[in-house]
Amino acid sequence: MQVNKYFRASRMVRVLIAAVFLLNSLPMAAQCAMCRAVLESEDGGQKGEAVNDGIVYLMVFPYLLVGALGYVIYRMFNKKPKAS
């Protein structure tokens, strides 16, 4: 079975775009307004950075779960039929 060269190129472009988005991480400040107000009133800013890190850490898990579910669904629909 020969794979269409355009399909292979488009797949490669999609993988490249996904890699760029995954590897291009910009520093973000993920805080709600109330958390920021409380933490800015304290000296040092150490707690503020810790809260930001915790929020980003907790934010990752829903994306991992949705990604795993999407992969399972993808595998279900693209299963190769068994040869009898």
Side-chain angles (χ1 to χ4, degrees), residues 13-84:
V13 168
R14 284 185 277 164
V15 169
L16 182 63
I17 290 172
V20 166
F21 279 115
L22 289 174
L23 296 175
N24 183 19
S25 61
L26 300 172
M28 294 184 226
Q31 280 183 349
C32 68
M34 292 187 69
C35 294
R36 176 173 290 187
V38 169
L39 292 172
E40 282 180 352
S41 65
E42 295 186 16
D43 295 331
Q46 295 275 339
K47 284 188 181 180
E49 289 179 17
V51 169
N52 277 338
D53 293 342
I55 291 170
V56 172
Y57 176 75
L58 291 173
M59 183 183 70
V60 168
F61 289 103
Y63 287 104
L64 290 176
L65 291 172
V66 169
L69 180 66
Y71 179 73
V72 168
I73 291 171
Y74 171 79
R75 293 288 294 186
M76 283 176 32
F77 283 108
N78 291 324
K79 237 187 234 184
K80 292 182 182 178
K82 291 184 180 180
S84 343

